[in-house]
Amino acid sequence: MTVRLDGPGVTIADVVAVAREGQHVELSDTAIERMAASRNVVEDLATGSDAVYGLSTGFGALASVAIPPERRHDLQHALIRSHAAGMGEPVESDVVRAMMLLRARTLAMGYSGARPAVAEAIVDAVNAGVVPVVPEHGSLGASGDLAPLAHAALALLGEGEAFLYGERQPAADALAVAGLRPLALTEKEGLALTNGTDGILGMLCLAVHDSAALLTHADVAAALTVEGVLATDRAFADDLVALRPQPGQAVSAANIRALLAGSPIIASHLEDDPRVQDAYSIRCTPQVHGAARDTLDHVRGVAERELAAAIDNPMVLPDGRVESCGNFHGAPLGFAADFLAIALAEVGAIAERRIDRVLDRARSHGLPPFLAEEAGVDSGVMIGQYTAAAMCAENRRLAAPASVDSLPTSGMQEDHVSMAWGAARKLRRVVDNVRRIVAIEIVVGARAVDLRAPLEPAVGTGAVVDELRRDVPGPGPDRFLAPELEAADALLRTDRLEGALRAVGVGLQASS
Protein backbone atom coordinates (compact mmCIF):
# COMPACT_ATOMS: atom_id res chain seq x y z
CA MET A 1 0.00 0.00 0.00
CA THR A 2 1.03 3.61 -0.59
CA VAL A 3 -0.01 6.85 1.08
CA ARG A 4 -0.73 9.29 -1.74
CA LEU A 5 -0.27 12.95 -0.94
CA ASP A 6 -2.82 15.05 -2.73
CA GLY A 7 -2.81 17.72 -0.02
CA PRO A 8 -6.14 17.00 1.67
CA GLY A 9 -7.23 13.47 2.49
CA VAL A 10 -4.43 12.37 4.82
CA THR A 11 -5.79 10.49 7.84
CA ILE A 12 -4.48 9.77 11.32
CA ALA A 13 -4.08 6.15 10.22
CA ASP A 14 -1.91 7.32 7.30
CA VAL A 15 0.31 9.26 9.69
CA VAL A 16 0.75 6.21 11.92
CA ALA A 17 1.42 3.95 8.93
CA VAL A 18 4.18 6.18 7.58
CA ALA A 19 5.66 7.16 10.95
CA ARG A 20 5.82 3.68 12.47
CA GLU A 21 5.33 1.11 9.75
CA GLY A 22 7.46 2.56 6.97
CA GLN A 23 4.57 2.98 4.57
CA HIS A 24 5.61 4.27 1.15
CA VAL A 25 4.61 7.83 0.23
CA GLU A 26 4.08 9.42 -3.17
CA LEU A 27 2.82 12.73 -4.50
CA SER A 28 -0.21 12.78 -6.78
CA ASP A 29 -0.08 14.40 -10.23
CA THR A 30 -2.73 16.86 -9.07
CA ALA A 31 -0.57 17.94 -6.14
CA ILE A 32 2.41 18.46 -8.42
CA GLU A 33 0.29 20.60 -10.73
CA ARG A 34 -0.97 22.71 -7.83
CA MET A 35 2.53 23.24 -6.50
CA ALA A 36 3.78 24.24 -9.96
CA ALA A 37 0.98 26.80 -10.35
CA SER A 38 1.72 28.25 -6.91
CA ARG A 39 5.39 28.40 -7.78
CA ASN A 40 4.64 30.44 -10.89
CA VAL A 41 3.09 33.11 -8.67
CA VAL A 42 6.25 33.28 -6.54
CA GLU A 43 8.53 33.49 -9.57
CA ASP A 44 6.47 36.33 -11.04
CA LEU A 45 6.72 38.23 -7.75
CA ALA A 46 10.44 37.55 -7.52
CA THR A 47 11.04 39.69 -10.59
CA GLY A 48 9.03 42.62 -9.21
CA SER A 49 9.98 45.44 -6.89
CA ASP A 50 7.27 44.96 -4.24
CA ALA A 51 8.31 43.86 -0.77
CA VAL A 52 6.98 40.36 -0.08
CA TYR A 53 7.59 38.79 3.31
CA GLY A 54 10.01 35.90 3.20
CA LEU A 55 10.69 36.37 -0.48
CA SER A 56 12.33 39.79 -0.70
CA THR A 57 12.52 40.62 3.03
CA GLY A 58 14.03 39.22 6.18
CA PHE A 59 12.09 37.21 8.74
CA GLY A 60 10.30 37.90 12.00
CA ALA A 61 11.49 41.15 13.51
CA LEU A 62 13.71 41.58 10.41
CA ALA A 63 10.71 41.69 8.06
CA SER A 64 11.44 45.35 7.22
CA VAL A 65 14.90 44.55 5.84
CA ALA A 66 14.90 44.41 2.02
CA ILE A 67 16.92 41.60 0.44
CA PRO A 68 18.46 42.23 -3.01
CA PRO A 69 17.62 39.67 -5.74
CA GLU A 70 21.14 38.25 -5.90
CA ARG A 71 21.00 37.31 -2.17
CA ARG A 72 17.55 35.76 -2.00
CA HIS A 73 18.68 32.18 -2.51
CA ASP A 74 21.27 32.72 0.23
CA LEU A 75 18.45 34.10 2.40
CA GLN A 76 16.56 30.79 2.28
CA HIS A 77 19.59 28.70 3.20
CA ALA A 78 20.56 31.14 5.94
CA LEU A 79 17.06 30.85 7.37
CA ILE A 80 17.36 27.07 7.67
CA ARG A 81 20.82 27.19 9.22
CA SER A 82 20.01 29.91 11.74
CA HIS A 83 16.68 28.41 12.76
CA ALA A 84 18.16 24.94 13.29
CA ALA A 85 18.99 26.01 16.85
CA GLY A 86 17.40 23.26 18.91
CA MET A 87 18.99 21.52 21.87
CA GLY A 88 18.54 18.32 23.81
CA GLU A 89 18.11 14.67 22.95
CA PRO A 90 16.83 13.73 19.49
CA VAL A 91 13.07 13.53 19.06
CA GLU A 92 11.75 10.04 18.43
CA SER A 93 11.98 8.80 14.85
CA ASP A 94 8.23 8.26 14.52
CA VAL A 95 7.63 11.90 15.41
CA VAL A 96 10.20 13.13 12.86
CA ARG A 97 8.78 10.93 10.12
CA ALA A 98 5.25 12.12 10.91
CA MET A 99 6.45 15.73 10.86
CA MET A 100 8.12 15.30 7.46
CA LEU A 101 5.07 13.60 5.98
CA LEU A 102 2.83 16.41 7.18
CA ARG A 103 5.12 19.16 5.88
CA ALA A 104 5.05 17.49 2.46
CA ARG A 105 1.26 17.28 2.79
CA THR A 106 0.96 21.04 3.31
CA LEU A 107 3.30 21.81 0.41
CA ALA A 108 1.21 19.49 -1.77
CA MET A 109 -1.85 21.69 -1.19
CA GLY A 110 -0.22 24.35 -3.35
CA TYR A 111 -0.43 27.37 -1.06
CA SER A 112 3.26 27.61 -0.15
CA GLY A 113 4.90 28.60 -3.43
CA ALA A 114 7.57 25.91 -3.21
CA ARG A 115 8.64 23.94 -6.27
CA PRO A 116 7.37 20.36 -6.49
CA ALA A 117 11.01 19.34 -6.09
CA VAL A 118 10.92 20.44 -2.45
CA ALA A 119 8.04 18.14 -1.53
CA GLU A 120 9.62 15.40 -3.61
CA ALA A 121 12.85 15.74 -1.62
CA ILE A 122 10.92 15.28 1.64
CA VAL A 123 9.03 12.26 0.30
CA ASP A 124 12.22 10.68 -1.07
CA ALA A 125 13.94 11.03 2.29
CA VAL A 126 10.96 9.50 4.11
CA ASN A 127 10.81 6.58 1.69
CA ALA A 128 14.56 6.00 1.94
CA GLY A 129 14.47 5.90 5.74
CA VAL A 130 16.50 9.06 6.24
CA VAL A 131 15.43 10.52 9.60
CA PRO A 132 16.89 13.96 10.41
CA VAL A 133 18.23 14.48 13.91
CA VAL A 134 15.76 16.92 15.51
CA PRO A 135 16.56 18.08 19.07
CA GLU A 136 13.71 18.07 21.55
CA HIS A 137 13.82 21.72 22.62
CA GLY A 138 13.32 24.75 20.39
CA SER A 139 9.70 25.00 19.27
CA LEU A 140 7.24 27.45 20.83
CA GLY A 141 4.39 26.41 18.54
CA ALA A 142 4.38 29.75 16.65
CA SER A 143 5.39 30.34 13.95
CA GLY A 144 4.72 26.66 14.09
CA ASP A 145 7.62 24.34 14.80
CA LEU A 146 10.39 26.58 13.50
CA ALA A 147 13.44 24.91 15.05
CA PRO A 148 12.33 21.26 14.61
CA LEU A 149 11.32 21.84 10.99
CA ALA A 150 14.56 23.72 10.34
CA HIS A 151 16.58 20.75 11.60
CA ALA A 152 14.61 18.47 9.30
CA ALA A 153 15.13 20.83 6.36
CA LEU A 154 18.83 21.16 7.14
CA ALA A 155 19.28 17.44 6.58
CA LEU A 156 17.61 17.76 3.17
CA LEU A 157 20.28 20.34 2.31
CA GLY A 158 22.97 17.80 3.17
CA GLU A 159 23.88 19.57 6.41
CA GLY A 160 23.37 18.66 10.05
CA GLU A 161 22.82 15.03 11.03
CA ALA A 162 20.43 12.22 10.26
CA PHE A 163 19.73 8.63 11.19
CA LEU A 164 19.84 5.96 8.52
CA TYR A 165 19.28 2.30 9.43
CA GLY A 166 19.46 3.41 13.07
CA GLU A 167 22.94 4.92 12.69
CA ARG A 168 23.47 8.60 13.48
CA GLN A 169 25.71 10.21 10.87
CA PRO A 170 26.30 13.41 8.90
CA ALA A 171 23.21 14.12 6.80
CA ALA A 172 25.33 14.37 3.65
CA ASP A 173 26.52 10.80 4.19
CA ALA A 174 23.00 9.53 4.88
CA LEU A 175 21.68 11.12 1.69
CA ALA A 176 24.57 9.69 -0.33
CA VAL A 177 24.04 6.16 0.99
CA ALA A 178 20.32 6.49 0.23
CA GLY A 179 21.10 7.65 -3.31
CA LEU A 180 19.67 11.13 -2.76
CA ARG A 181 21.10 14.52 -3.71
CA PRO A 182 21.04 17.54 -1.38
CA LEU A 183 18.28 20.05 -2.04
CA ALA A 184 19.09 23.60 -3.15
CA LEU A 185 16.50 26.21 -2.18
CA THR A 186 15.13 29.18 -4.10
CA GLU A 187 12.81 32.06 -3.13
CA LYS A 188 10.26 31.34 -0.37
CA GLU A 189 11.28 27.70 0.03
CA GLY A 190 13.20 27.95 3.29
CA LEU A 191 10.20 29.63 4.82
CA ALA A 192 7.85 27.04 3.34
CA LEU A 193 9.87 24.28 4.98
CA THR A 194 9.75 25.79 8.47
CA ASN A 195 6.39 27.55 8.98
CA GLY A 196 4.09 24.77 10.12
CA THR A 197 2.55 22.91 13.03
CA ASP A 198 3.63 19.58 11.57
CA GLY A 199 5.63 18.31 14.55
CA ILE A 200 2.84 19.19 16.97
CA LEU A 201 0.23 17.65 14.71
CA GLY A 202 2.31 14.52 14.16
CA MET A 203 2.61 13.97 17.90
CA LEU A 204 -1.08 14.65 18.39
CA CYS A 205 -2.03 12.12 15.69
CA LEU A 206 0.20 9.47 17.26
CA ALA A 207 -1.25 10.23 20.71
CA VAL A 208 -4.83 9.97 19.42
CA HIS A 209 -4.06 6.58 17.91
CA ASP A 210 -2.36 5.32 21.07
CA SER A 211 -5.04 6.72 23.38
CA ALA A 212 -7.84 4.87 21.61
CA ALA A 213 -6.20 1.52 22.35
CA LEU A 214 -5.20 2.65 25.84
CA LEU A 215 -8.77 3.48 26.85
CA THR A 216 -9.99 0.09 25.68
CA HIS A 217 -7.25 -1.59 27.70
CA ALA A 218 -8.23 0.53 30.71
CA ASP A 219 -11.75 -0.94 30.47
CA VAL A 220 -10.20 -4.42 30.36
CA ALA A 221 -8.11 -3.74 33.45
CA ALA A 222 -11.13 -2.40 35.33
CA ALA A 223 -13.17 -5.50 34.52
CA LEU A 224 -10.44 -7.72 35.96
CA THR A 225 -10.45 -5.63 39.13
CA VAL A 226 -14.24 -5.89 39.43
CA GLU A 227 -13.95 -9.67 39.49
CA GLY A 228 -10.81 -9.64 41.63
CA VAL A 229 -12.40 -7.73 44.53
CA LEU A 230 -15.80 -9.42 44.18
CA ALA A 231 -17.45 -6.17 43.12
CA THR A 232 -20.81 -6.01 41.36
CA ASP A 233 -21.49 -5.26 37.71
CA ARG A 234 -24.95 -3.87 38.45
CA ALA A 235 -23.76 -0.24 38.34
CA PHE A 236 -22.82 -0.76 34.68
CA ALA A 237 -26.28 -1.80 33.52
CA ASP A 238 -27.29 -0.36 30.16
CA ASP A 239 -30.54 1.24 31.32
CA LEU A 240 -28.85 2.74 34.37
CA VAL A 241 -25.96 4.23 32.40
CA ALA A 242 -28.37 5.55 29.76
CA LEU A 243 -29.93 7.86 32.35
CA ARG A 244 -26.85 10.03 31.80
CA PRO A 245 -26.47 10.13 28.01
CA GLN A 246 -22.75 10.79 27.76
CA PRO A 247 -21.51 8.78 24.77
CA GLY A 248 -18.10 7.77 26.12
CA GLN A 249 -19.62 6.56 29.38
CA ALA A 250 -21.95 4.28 27.42
CA VAL A 251 -19.02 2.79 25.50
CA SER A 252 -16.92 2.06 28.57
CA ALA A 253 -19.88 0.56 30.45
CA ALA A 254 -20.73 -1.63 27.45
CA ASN A 255 -17.13 -2.85 27.28
CA ILE A 256 -17.08 -3.77 30.96
CA ARG A 257 -20.44 -5.56 30.66
CA ALA A 258 -19.14 -7.53 27.66
CA LEU A 259 -15.99 -8.53 29.52
CA LEU A 260 -17.91 -9.64 32.62
CA ALA A 261 -20.85 -11.33 30.90
CA GLY A 262 -21.71 -14.67 32.53
CA SER A 263 -18.97 -14.35 35.17
CA PRO A 264 -19.18 -17.13 37.79
CA ILE A 265 -17.12 -14.93 40.11
CA ILE A 266 -19.74 -12.16 39.90
CA ALA A 267 -22.54 -14.67 40.34
CA SER A 268 -20.90 -16.15 43.44
CA HIS A 269 -21.81 -13.18 45.65
CA LEU A 270 -25.17 -12.08 44.25
CA GLU A 271 -26.79 -13.24 47.51
CA ASP A 272 -25.84 -12.48 51.10
CA ASP A 273 -23.20 -9.89 50.25
CA PRO A 274 -23.16 -7.32 53.11
CA ARG A 275 -21.85 -4.53 50.87
CA VAL A 276 -24.46 -2.08 49.59
CA GLN A 277 -22.33 -0.42 46.92
CA ASP A 278 -18.78 -0.39 45.63
CA ALA A 279 -16.25 2.40 46.05
CA TYR A 280 -16.11 5.21 43.50
CA SER A 281 -12.97 3.83 41.85
CA ILE A 282 -15.03 0.77 40.87
CA ARG A 283 -18.53 2.16 40.47
CA CYS A 284 -17.54 5.35 38.61
CA THR A 285 -15.14 3.72 36.17
CA PRO A 286 -17.39 4.21 33.10
CA GLN A 287 -17.93 7.85 34.03
CA VAL A 288 -14.19 8.59 34.23
CA HIS A 289 -13.10 6.41 31.32
CA GLY A 290 -16.06 7.69 29.32
CA ALA A 291 -15.23 11.33 29.93
CA ALA A 292 -11.73 10.60 28.66
CA ARG A 293 -13.24 8.94 25.57
CA ASP A 294 -15.33 12.04 24.89
CA THR A 295 -12.25 14.21 25.29
CA LEU A 296 -10.40 11.95 22.85
CA ASP A 297 -13.22 12.31 20.33
CA HIS A 298 -12.91 16.10 20.55
CA VAL A 299 -9.13 15.95 20.15
CA ARG A 300 -9.46 13.56 17.22
CA GLY A 301 -11.72 16.11 15.52
CA VAL A 302 -9.17 18.88 16.05
CA ALA A 303 -6.42 16.70 14.57
CA GLU A 304 -8.54 15.69 11.59
CA ARG A 305 -9.38 19.30 10.80
CA GLU A 306 -5.71 20.24 11.01
CA LEU A 307 -4.93 17.40 8.60
CA ALA A 308 -7.12 19.22 6.08
CA ALA A 309 -5.44 22.59 6.72
CA ALA A 310 -2.83 24.52 4.76
CA ILE A 311 -0.31 25.81 7.31
CA ASP A 312 2.29 28.31 6.14
CA ASN A 313 3.11 32.00 6.13
CA PRO A 314 2.78 33.83 3.89
CA MET A 315 0.18 31.92 1.87
CA VAL A 316 0.27 31.96 -1.92
CA LEU A 317 -3.32 32.19 -3.13
CA PRO A 318 -4.65 31.10 -6.52
CA ASP A 319 -5.55 34.68 -7.50
CA GLY A 320 -1.91 35.71 -7.21
CA ARG A 321 -2.04 37.28 -3.75
CA VAL A 322 0.68 36.48 -1.24
CA GLU A 323 -0.77 37.22 2.18
CA SER A 324 0.65 37.00 5.68
CA CYS A 325 -1.61 35.18 8.14
CA GLY A 326 -1.58 33.44 11.50
CA ASN A 327 -2.53 29.91 10.49
CA PHE A 328 0.77 28.62 11.85
CA HIS A 329 -0.25 29.42 15.44
CA GLY A 330 -0.50 26.17 17.36
CA ALA A 331 -3.25 27.16 19.82
CA PRO A 332 -5.88 24.69 18.52
CA LEU A 333 -3.43 21.81 18.85
CA GLY A 334 -1.95 22.99 22.14
CA PHE A 335 -5.33 23.27 23.81
CA ALA A 336 -6.28 19.81 22.52
CA ALA A 337 -3.04 18.22 23.74
CA ASP A 338 -3.40 19.77 27.17
CA PHE A 339 -7.03 18.65 27.43
CA LEU A 340 -6.21 15.06 26.48
CA ALA A 341 -3.31 14.96 28.96
CA ILE A 342 -5.69 16.03 31.74
CA ALA A 343 -8.25 13.38 30.81
CA LEU A 344 -5.72 10.56 30.52
CA ALA A 345 -4.07 11.53 33.79
CA GLU A 346 -7.41 10.86 35.51
CA VAL A 347 -7.70 7.47 33.82
CA GLY A 348 -4.34 6.64 35.37
CA ALA A 349 -5.40 8.07 38.72
CA ILE A 350 -8.54 5.95 39.02
CA ALA A 351 -6.61 2.86 37.87
CA GLU A 352 -4.04 3.40 40.62
CA ARG A 353 -6.86 3.58 43.19
CA ARG A 354 -8.25 0.28 41.91
CA ILE A 355 -4.80 -1.32 42.15
CA ASP A 356 -4.46 -0.20 45.75
CA ARG A 357 -7.89 -1.62 46.59
CA VAL A 358 -6.97 -5.06 45.24
CA LEU A 359 -3.73 -5.13 47.24
CA ASP A 360 -5.22 -3.99 50.58
CA ARG A 361 -6.55 -7.00 52.51
CA ALA A 362 -8.92 -4.69 54.42
CA ARG A 363 -10.71 -3.77 51.18
CA SER A 364 -10.08 -6.68 48.80
CA HIS A 365 -12.79 -8.93 50.25
CA GLY A 366 -10.70 -11.92 51.17
CA LEU A 367 -7.56 -11.70 49.06
CA PRO A 368 -4.15 -12.17 50.72
CA PRO A 369 -2.21 -8.99 51.53
CA PHE A 370 -0.59 -7.62 48.36
CA LEU A 371 -1.54 -10.91 46.67
CA ALA A 372 1.54 -12.46 48.30
CA GLU A 373 1.88 -16.24 48.54
CA GLU A 374 3.37 -16.08 52.05
CA ALA A 375 2.67 -12.58 53.34
CA GLY A 376 5.57 -11.33 55.41
CA VAL A 377 8.16 -13.47 53.71
CA ASP A 378 6.72 -12.39 50.37
CA SER A 379 5.67 -8.85 49.46
CA GLY A 380 3.67 -9.87 46.40
CA VAL A 381 2.83 -6.96 44.11
CA MET A 382 3.14 -4.33 46.85
CA ILE A 383 5.74 -2.22 45.06
CA GLY A 384 3.87 -2.34 41.77
CA GLN A 385 1.40 0.03 43.38
CA TYR A 386 4.27 2.32 44.40
CA THR A 387 5.36 2.48 40.77
CA ALA A 388 1.82 3.29 39.66
CA ALA A 389 1.56 5.99 42.32
CA ALA A 390 4.87 7.52 41.21
CA MET A 391 3.63 7.76 37.63
CA CYS A 392 0.31 9.21 38.81
CA ALA A 393 2.23 11.91 40.66
CA GLU A 394 4.22 12.71 37.54
CA ASN A 395 1.03 12.81 35.49
CA ARG A 396 -0.40 15.44 37.81
CA ARG A 397 2.58 17.66 37.03
CA LEU A 398 2.35 16.90 33.32
CA ALA A 399 -1.38 17.67 33.28
CA ALA A 400 -0.64 21.32 34.08
CA PRO A 401 -1.38 23.08 30.77
CA ALA A 402 1.52 24.29 28.65
CA SER A 403 -0.72 26.35 26.39
CA VAL A 404 -1.24 29.11 28.98
CA ASP A 405 2.47 29.83 29.26
CA SER A 406 3.23 32.15 26.34
CA LEU A 407 6.58 33.95 26.21
CA PRO A 408 7.26 36.70 23.63
CA THR A 409 10.04 36.26 21.05
CA SER A 410 11.61 37.85 17.96
CA GLY A 411 11.82 41.38 19.29
CA MET A 412 8.11 41.34 20.25
CA GLN A 413 7.02 40.59 16.67
CA GLU A 414 6.04 37.11 17.80
CA ASP A 415 4.58 38.34 21.06
CA HIS A 416 2.13 35.50 21.72
CA VAL A 417 3.08 31.89 21.11
CA SER A 418 1.16 28.66 21.72
CA MET A 419 3.68 26.42 23.49
CA ALA A 420 1.83 23.61 21.71
CA TRP A 421 5.04 21.65 21.08
CA GLY A 422 5.55 21.40 24.83
CA ALA A 423 1.91 20.40 25.28
CA ALA A 424 2.31 17.58 22.74
CA ARG A 425 5.62 16.43 24.20
CA LYS A 426 4.20 16.04 27.69
CA LEU A 427 1.05 14.38 26.31
CA ARG A 428 3.25 11.63 24.91
CA ARG A 429 4.75 11.13 28.37
CA VAL A 430 1.29 10.94 29.96
CA VAL A 431 0.19 8.32 27.40
CA ASP A 432 3.24 6.19 28.24
CA ASN A 433 2.70 6.57 31.99
CA VAL A 434 -0.99 5.68 31.86
CA ARG A 435 -0.34 2.65 29.67
CA ARG A 436 2.17 1.41 32.26
CA ILE A 437 -0.29 2.03 35.11
CA VAL A 438 -2.95 0.06 33.23
CA ALA A 439 -0.41 -2.71 32.64
CA ILE A 440 0.18 -2.91 36.39
CA GLU A 441 -3.56 -3.10 37.01
CA ILE A 442 -3.89 -5.93 34.51
CA VAL A 443 -1.09 -7.87 36.24
CA VAL A 444 -2.66 -7.25 39.65
CA GLY A 445 -6.22 -7.93 38.51
CA ALA A 446 -5.28 -11.15 36.72
CA ARG A 447 -3.47 -12.42 39.81
CA ALA A 448 -6.51 -11.59 41.93
CA VAL A 449 -8.78 -13.49 39.54
CA ASP A 450 -6.44 -16.49 39.69
CA LEU A 451 -6.60 -16.40 43.48
CA ARG A 452 -10.40 -16.67 43.34
CA ALA A 453 -10.08 -20.26 42.07
CA PRO A 454 -11.95 -22.56 41.96
CA LEU A 455 -14.33 -19.80 40.90
CA GLU A 456 -13.97 -19.14 37.18
CA PRO A 457 -13.79 -15.69 35.55
CA ALA A 458 -16.04 -14.61 32.73
CA VAL A 459 -15.26 -15.76 29.20
CA GLY A 460 -13.92 -12.30 28.36
CA THR A 461 -11.76 -11.70 31.40
CA GLY A 462 -10.63 -15.32 31.27
CA ALA A 463 -9.36 -14.81 27.73
CA VAL A 464 -7.43 -11.76 28.90
CA VAL A 465 -5.83 -13.71 31.75
CA ASP A 466 -4.92 -16.57 29.41
CA GLU A 467 -3.28 -14.17 26.94
CA LEU A 468 -1.37 -12.42 29.72
CA ARG A 469 -0.15 -15.76 31.04
CA ARG A 470 1.74 -16.32 27.78
CA ASP A 471 4.17 -13.63 28.99
CA VAL A 472 3.51 -13.14 32.71
CA PRO A 473 3.22 -16.03 35.20
CA GLY A 474 0.50 -16.16 37.82
CA PRO A 475 0.59 -16.17 41.63
CA GLY A 476 3.59 -17.64 43.43
CA PRO A 477 6.57 -16.81 45.60
CA ASP A 478 8.26 -13.42 45.14
CA ARG A 479 10.37 -13.05 42.02
CA PHE A 480 11.95 -10.26 39.97
CA LEU A 481 8.80 -8.23 39.26
CA ALA A 482 9.98 -5.53 36.87
CA PRO A 483 10.30 -7.83 33.81
CA GLU A 484 6.73 -9.02 34.33
CA LEU A 485 5.43 -5.45 34.43
CA GLU A 486 7.46 -4.62 31.34
CA ALA A 487 6.04 -7.68 29.57
CA ALA A 488 2.51 -6.53 30.39
CA ASP A 489 3.34 -3.06 29.09
CA ALA A 490 4.70 -4.58 25.88
CA LEU A 491 1.49 -6.60 25.53
CA LEU A 492 -0.56 -3.40 25.67
CA ARG A 493 1.49 -1.99 22.78
CA THR A 494 -0.02 -4.71 20.59
CA ASP A 495 -3.56 -5.76 19.67
CA ARG A 496 -3.17 -9.24 21.15
CA LEU A 497 -5.76 -8.73 23.89
CA GLU A 498 -8.33 -7.58 21.36
CA GLY A 499 -7.52 -10.63 19.23
CA ALA A 500 -7.89 -13.00 22.18
CA LEU A 501 -11.26 -11.45 23.01
CA ARG A 502 -12.50 -11.68 19.43
CA ALA A 503 -11.49 -15.34 19.39
CA VAL A 504 -13.97 -16.04 22.21
CA GLY A 505 -16.68 -13.85 20.72
CA VAL A 506 -16.19 -10.74 22.85
CA GLY A 507 -15.96 -7.54 20.85
CA LEU A 508 -15.06 -4.22 22.45
CA GLN A 509 -15.77 -0.70 21.23
CA ALA A 510 -12.75 1.54 20.70
CA SER A 511 -14.52 4.90 20.62
CA SER A 512 -17.86 6.59 21.05
Side-chain angles (χ1 to χ4, degrees):
M1 294 179 62
T2 296
V3 173
R4 289 178 56 82
L5 287 183
D6 191 38
V10 173
T11 66
I12 292 173
D14 291 335
V15 174
V16 175
V18 173
R20 292 180 174 166
E21 301 164 17
Q23 196 81 12
H24 187 81
V25 184
E26 66 179 30
L27 293 160
S28 72
D29 292 341
T30 302
I32 291 171
E33 291 170 5
R34 278 200 304 266
M35 287 186 284
S38 176
R39 182 64 196 174
N40 288 337
V41 174
V42 169
E43 291 181 352
D44 287 344
L45 289 170
T47 61
S49 57
D50 293 341
V52 180
Y53 177 73
L55 194 157
S56 58
T57 74
F59 307 104
L62 300 175
S64 60
V65 178
I67 308 298
E70 67 273 12
R71 300 303 307 278
R72 291 175 185 172
H73 290 194
D74 294 337
L75 169 70
Q76 302 302 316
H77 289 83
L79 170 71
I80 299 299
R81 294 174 183 131
S82 64
H83 284 46
M87 297 183 73
E89 292 299 310
V91 173
E92 303 84 3
S93 292
D94 60 347
V95 172
V96 177
R97 288 175 59 82
M99 180 174 71
M100 295 174 71
L101 169 72
L102 295 173
R103 182 76 319 226
R105 180 206 65 84
T106 283
L107 298 183
M109 295 185 74
Y111 294 104
S112 294
R115 292 167 298 149
V118 178
E120 289 167 350
I122 299 174
V123 167
D124 289 344
V126 169
N127 288 337
V130 176
V131 181
V133 173
V134 176
E136 181 172 18
H137 302 294
S139 173
L140 303 179
S143 307
D145 296 319
L146 288 175
L149 284 167
H151 279 276
L154 192 67
L156 299 179
L157 305 184
E159 303 178 30
E161 294 183 297
F163 292 101
L164 182 63
Y165 310 130
E167 180 184 348
R168 184 170 178 169
Q169 57 194 280
D173 294 347
L175 292 178
V177 171
L180 303 177
R181 299 182 62 180
L183 178 65
L185 302 177
T186 62
E187 294 90 351
K188 177 65 171 63
E189 291 176 341
L191 201 57
L193 283 169
T194 56
N195 260 277
T197 56
D198 307 288
I200 304 164
L201 178 57
M203 287 188 281
L204 194 63
C205 288
L206 295 172
V208 166
H209 173 270
D210 294 344
S211 297
L214 173 56
L215 291 173
T216 299
H217 290 150
D219 291 341
V220 170
L224 286 169
T225 296
V226 169
E227 282 190 318
V229 297
L230 299 184
T232 181
D233 61 352
R234 289 162 58 186
F236 313 134
D238 184 34
D239 58 350
L240 193 58
V241 171
L243 295 175
R244 189 189 203 186
Q246 299 287 357
Q249 172 179 305
V251 170
S252 285
N255 283 345
I256 295 171
R257 288 196 306 272
L259 286 156
L260 295 175
S263 168
I265 294 178
I266 298 291
S268 71
H269 58 95
L270 289 177
E271 304 292 339
D272 300 322
D273 191 326
R275 295 170 295 176
V276 176
Q277 57 186 9
D278 292 312
Y280 284 11
S281 60
I282 303 290
R283 191 173 9 130
C284 299
T285 288
Q287 286 71 27
V288 175
H289 289 191
R293 286 181 178 279
D294 293 339
T295 302
L296 176 59
D297 284 347
H298 165 70
V299 172
R300 182 184 291 110
V302 172
E304 289 172 345
R305 289 189 291 275
E306 195 78 355
L307 285 171
I311 305 297
D312 204 342
N313 182 59
M315 307 295 288
V316 180
L317 301 174
D319 62 6
R321 290 152 52 219
V322 178
E323 299 283 5
S324 292
C325 69
N327 283 351
F328 51 71
H329 199 287
L333 304 181
F335 295 164
D338 279 337
F339 193 10
L340 186 54
I342 291 168
L344 292 179
E346 282 305 290
V347 171
I350 197 170
E352 185 275 332
R353 288 293 79 208
R354 291 191 300 262
I355 293 167
D356 183 60
R357 181 163 293 272
V358 178
L359 299 179
D360 183 358
R361 66 175 174 180
R363 294 177 289 147
S364 67
H365 212 65
L367 292 171
F370 307 108
L371 309 186
E373 180 161 289
E374 187 180 351
V377 174
D378 294 325
S379 296
V381 203
M382 176 195 294
I383 306 303
Q385 185 262 329
Y386 287 40
T387 301
M391 289 185 286
C392 279
E394 182 178 49
N395 285 348
R396 291 190 186 109
R397 297 190 293 273
L398 294 170
S403 53
V404 298
D405 196 19
S406 175
L407 288 169
T409 57
S410 194
M412 296 301 288
Q413 175 70 10
E414 298 167 8
D415 58 352
H416 184 275
V417 297
S418 73
M419 297 296 183
W421 174 274
R425 293 300 295 164
K426 67 187 184 63
L427 170 60
R428 284 174 63 84
R429 185 66 174 265
V430 170
V431 170
D432 285 342
N433 282 347
V434 176
R435 189 191 60 252
R436 292 175 182 130
I437 293 167
V438 170
I440 293 170
E441 185 180 7
I442 285 178
V443 169
V444 169
R447 187 181 286 207
V449 166
D450 283 341
L451 290 171
R452 293 299 180 186
L455 291 172
E456 293 289 332
V459 171
T461 50
V464 171
V465 173
D466 289 345
E467 189 63 30
L468 178 70
R469 292 290 170 254
R470 295 174 56 186
D471 303 316
V472 178
D478 278 2
R479 53 195 181 250
F480 186 17
L481 188 56
E484 297 183 15
L485 302 182
E486 290 289 344
D489 180 43
L491 174 62
L492 298 192
R493 293 174 184 264
T494 73
D495 62 356
R496 283 172 48 194
L497 290 184
E498 291 87 338
L501 287 165
R502 286 194 297 270
V504 295
V506 178
L508 302 183
Q509 300 179 50
S511 69
S512 51

